[in-house]
Amino acid sequence: MHAPGRATGRVRVHRGPGSAVLVHDTHPDRLRIGWTLPHGGWRGLARRGVEDIRRELAEALPQYADLVHGQITSMADLTLLDVFASHAGEWVRDGLVLLGDSAHTHGPIGAQGINLALQDAAALHPVLVSALADGEPTARRLAPYRDRRAPAAAAVHRMQVVQARSLFGGGGPAAAFLRARAAAVVTRTPIGAKITRKVAHGHDPAGVRTDLFPVLHVSRSL
């Protein structure tokens, strides 16, 4: 939603009726609202209509009620993101290699899908260069990339499951308050710093092999 001057610099989790609503800034001068629903719950919500959706969102986010009522005018203003985690059974075959979302999908917490895709590319780079240089882009030559990155993707999935339970678990307002307080304490401890580093850099930080980039000498006549 367009929200000039309303940026907070934070990701906030608000409690709605039986669900959680996430709000964070996005460029330029916008706020993104993510309303978590039970898997398959969108159809029932859509049948109720946009008026009920506006009302529930405004009640969960009273500070943004003006934006909700002013900018959500029809179901076309909403986008369904079907979130699920999945891993391909095969990452490599002769002449084929998967990376990023084609090999593993993740939930949106921490935007880990983008991080993992970039790390996959950096890890695959030297393996692929070597295999192509020898004319052997086979599953056997590409397997070291899979063997390195599959455990890293699985570790992120496990971490996101724990994060989702801590953020969106049930138990009513008291449980939500306790989870929020516990999270605030953890973020100020060495454990919290370690978790932040894991989210930012991944379980398997992959450096870019710039020494493998070809150097092109271009001569210009002025």
Side-chain angles (χ1 to χ4, degrees):
M1 298 187 301
H2 294 282
R6 306 284 283 272
T8 65
R10 298 180 179 182
V11 177
R12 294 282 191 180
V13 180
H14 303 262
R15 284 284 156 184
S19 63
V21 183
L22 286 77
V23 180
H24 66 87
D25 308 337
T26 186
H27 181 79
D29 292 328
R30 294 173 182 264
L31 289 176
R32 179 170 291 155
I33 296 176
W35 189 7
T36 64
L37 301 171
H39 203 265
W42 170 251
R43 291 180 181 177
L45 188 67
R47 283 194 295 266
R48 289 162 46 195
V50 70
E51 292 81 7
D52 274 5
I53 292 174
R54 276 201 306 259
R55 178 180 52 77
E56 288 200 24
L57 283 176
E59 289 176 357
L61 306 170
Q63 66 274 51
Y64 302 122
D66 59 323
L67 301 180
V68 169
H69 284 292
Q71 298 185 39
I72 301 178
T73 60
S74 72
M75 298 299 291
D77 294 323
L78 307 172
T79 301
L80 175 64
L81 176 61
D82 191 8
V83 175
F84 62 94
S86 180
H87 293 241
E90 292 182 87
W91 288 34
V92 297
R93 290 183 181 177
D94 292 349
L96 174 70
V97 61
L98 304 181
L99 73 159
D101 281 354
S102 63
H104 46 82
T105 61
H106 298 265
I109 296 176
Q112 289 289 64
I114 297 172
N115 290 345
L116 287 170
L118 293 172
Q119 292 161 12
D120 284 353
L124 174 61
H125 175 213
V127 175
L128 187 59
V129 166
S130 176
L132 291 176
D134 295 337
E136 296 181 355
T138 63
R140 180 184 64 84
R141 291 293 300 270
L142 298 171
Y145 151 76
R146 175 204 61 206
D147 295 343
R148 175 180 178 180
R149 293 301 301 164
V156 168
H157 173 67
R158 291 192 298 269
M159 182 173 67
Q160 286 192 321
V161 169
V162 173
Q163 289 175 310
R165 287 173 178 168
S166 64
L167 286 174
F168 310 129
F177 174 79
L178 291 175
R179 281 194 297 269
R181 296 301 299 169
V185 171
V186 169
T187 55
R188 293 174 172 81
T189 67
I191 295 176
K194 183 177 181 180
I195 294 173
T196 300
R197 286 194 299 271
K198 286 290 186 182
V199 172
H201 302 292
H203 292 255
D204 172 37
V208 177
R209 287 284 304 277
T210 56
D211 59 297
L212 297 177
F213 293 160
V215 178
L216 302 178
H217 298 283
V218 180
S219 59
R220 292 182 178 180
S221 57
L222 300 178

